[in-house]
Amino acid sequence: MRLKMAASQAVEEMRGRVVLGEFGVRNVHTTDFPGNYSGYDDAWDQDRFEKNFRVDVVHMDENSLEFDMVGIDAAIANAFRRILLAEVPTMAVEKVLVYNNTSIVQDEILAHRLGLIPIHADPRLFEYRNQGDEDGTEIDTLQFRLQVRCTRNPHAAKDSSDPNELYVNHKVYTRHMTWIPLGNQADLFPEGTIRPVHDDILIAQLRPGQEIDLLMHCVKGIGKDHAKFSPVATASYRLLPDITLLEPVEGEAAEELSRCFSPGVIEVQEVQGKKVARVANPRLDTFSREIFRHEKLKKVVRLARVRDHYIFSVESTGVLPPDVLVSEAIKVLMGKCRRFLDELDAVQMD
């Protein structure tokens, strides 16, 4: 009976946990596919999936979102991450018409820097520009003008050496970019809605007599074509940590155990006059595996991760709120699924 229970626990661990050991990681691969385990029905079942799957929002602010996605496979989680990085469209500078650039920054480098500036514009309101179309229209292009000339400050002190005091417009920022509406864009978008996300991004530095005068065309694109179109600064996931104490840890050993983990993971409590360690919040742990450096402690703790519990962190560049980015990524994933089903139907018809 005990042997049977131990075998059952080993199978459950293999199916549901990725175990971190001192010299390696166990149960890395997904194994819960049909027929692999005797007594388990691992065939796909939509009702069971809908019952087990959930999304829990943990934290959200203007530019970042942390949420848990539970009940999916690593392939789907990674597909979702890659869609966020490379297939949710944004608006970015694609073409730069340089009329005058006497700064020390070459035209190509300047154009590249301008392309990486995030533009605050909802890409859902624009169309993709047709390939080979040189002149954009109000439905597929945003236009910005950058015209800055550096001069000496006539009121600067003679003995001053501070460029901020000596020169006027010696630093070119994104706040100098002026939106020029095309067609009826001025009626569609209120003033201040179309702009760089941040107005304090340094583009170039000038000295008296130097000037930058150029026109920028912003188009809709995806990160798969160029990183400047990526809507996120970071989009990553990690598995939920699962830390188990295999036996009671008391006294100084409890304090030492607490120091082996990230702050807040292990809590030391007073129980009947003794210090006793308990797992408080395993989610906070980064799994440095410091515990394996301590001979007396490494055998009293099991480190694992929950196989189907993904902690997603999404940080927007500011182009769109992070919750909108997630919903748009879901739409892209749904579109991929529909195209795949259409391909299957077409093959069956043939």
Side-chain angles (χ1 to χ4, degrees):
M1 187 68 179
R2 290 183 179 179
L3 187 62
K4 188 176 181 180
M5 289 180 60
S8 177
Q9 290 176 355
V11 170
E12 287 297 331
E13 180 182 279
M14 191 180 301
R15 288 167 56 85
R17 296 293 184 270
V18 178
V19 181
L20 285 78
E22 184 175 2
F23 301 108
V25 183
R26 304 198 313 271
N27 309 335
V28 176
H29 304 291
T30 301
T31 57
D32 55 346
F33 46 85
N36 194 39
Y37 295 100
S38 176
Y40 288 88
D41 179 17
D42 288 320
W44 167 257
D45 183 83
Q46 183 173 344
D47 292 335
R48 182 170 57 196
F49 173 78
E50 291 178 357
K51 179 181 178 181
N52 295 332
F53 178 75
R54 72 177 194 271
V55 175
D56 301 325
V57 176
V58 177
H59 168 78
M60 184 173 68
D61 56 32
E62 186 178 358
N63 291 318
S64 63
L65 173 65
E66 180 180 324
F67 63 93
D68 292 359
M69 191 176 286
V70 185
I72 58 169
D73 191 72
I76 304 300
N78 195 49
F80 186 71
R81 179 191 67 87
R82 294 186 62 166
I83 289 171
L84 276 168
L85 287 170
E87 297 189 57
V88 175
T90 65
M91 303 293 289
V93 175
E94 176 70 9
K95 184 178 292 186
V96 179
L97 307 176
V98 182
Y99 300 128
N100 190 17
N101 176 25
T102 54
S103 71
I104 64 171
V105 184
Q106 296 95 332
D107 292 354
E108 295 83 357
I109 303 300
L110 183 60
H112 185 264
R113 290 179 63 84
L114 292 170
L116 294 175
I117 295 171
I119 304 299
H120 188 276
D122 193 337
R124 296 170 293 182
L125 304 177
F126 296 88
E127 302 293 336
Y128 288 100
R129 183 188 283 193
N130 294 326
Q131 191 171 6
D133 188 0
E134 295 293 330
D135 299 321
T137 64
E138 66 269 16
I139 65 171
D140 59 25
T141 303
L142 288 172
Q143 189 169 268
F144 286 88
R145 184 70 181 266
L146 180 62
Q147 187 174 15
V148 181
R149 181 179 179 85
C150 180
T151 59
R152 291 188 179 275
N153 181 9
H155 305 293
K158 292 183 179 181
D159 58 346
S160 175
S161 59
D162 183 5
N164 294 318
E165 186 178 349
L166 288 173
Y167 312 127
V168 178
N169 288 334
H170 76 289
K171 289 185 177 181
V172 182
Y173 290 101
T174 46
R175 68 173 69 99
H176 294 118
M177 293 171 55
T178 305
W179 172 48
I180 301 177
L182 296 175
N184 64 342
Q185 287 181 349
D187 299 326
L188 296 175
F189 306 108
E191 185 177 354
T193 56
I194 305 298
R195 54 178 173 77
V197 172
H198 306 286
D199 63 1
D200 58 350
I201 299 176
L202 182 64
I203 299 173
Q205 294 193 54
L206 305 177
R207 285 299 180 263
Q210 294 181 347
E211 180 183 9
I212 292 178
D213 185 7
L214 51 85
L215 193 68
M216 291 164 275
H217 286 178
C218 301
V219 301
K220 184 176 180 178
I222 57 176
K224 187 189 295 185
D225 295 330
H226 196 289
K228 66 186 178 184
F229 292 111
S230 181
V232 294
T234 58
S236 62
Y237 63 78
R238 61 189 178 99
L239 293 174
L240 177 71
D242 178 33
I243 301 172
T244 306
L245 297 182
L246 303 178
E247 60 184 67
V249 182
E250 302 175 348
E252 290 302 318
E255 295 285 356
E256 189 175 3
L257 180 70
S258 176
R259 292 192 291 268
C260 291
F261 293 89
S262 301
V265 175
I266 301 295
E267 183 182 60
V268 179
Q269 296 179 326
E270 287 281 344
V271 179
Q272 297 180 352
K274 292 182 179 180
K275 294 180 179 179
V276 179
R278 76 172 190 91
V279 180
N281 189 357
R283 184 189 185 92
L284 301 176
D285 195 40
T286 58
F287 276 175
S288 65
R289 293 194 270 189
E290 169 69 18
I291 189 70
F292 294 117
R293 292 164 56 95
H294 302 264
E295 288 293 330
K296 296 180 179 179
L297 296 176
K298 65 182 181 181
K299 294 182 180 180
V300 303
V301 179
R302 188 197 70 164
L303 302 183
R305 290 185 182 272
V306 182
R307 184 185 297 282
D308 65 347
H309 191 134
Y310 295 88
I311 302 173
F312 271 87
S313 297
V314 178
E315 182 182 345
S316 170
T317 59
V319 174
L320 289 172
D323 57 323
V324 175
L325 294 179
V326 170
S327 65
E328 289 301 304
I330 293 173
K331 293 177 184 177
V332 173
L333 185 57
M334 291 170 62
K336 288 177 177 288
C337 295
R338 291 194 190 98
R339 286 195 296 274
F340 180 66
L341 292 175
D342 291 342
E343 290 290 335
L344 290 178
D345 293 339
V347 171
Q348 290 174 0
M349 291 177 63
D350 293 341

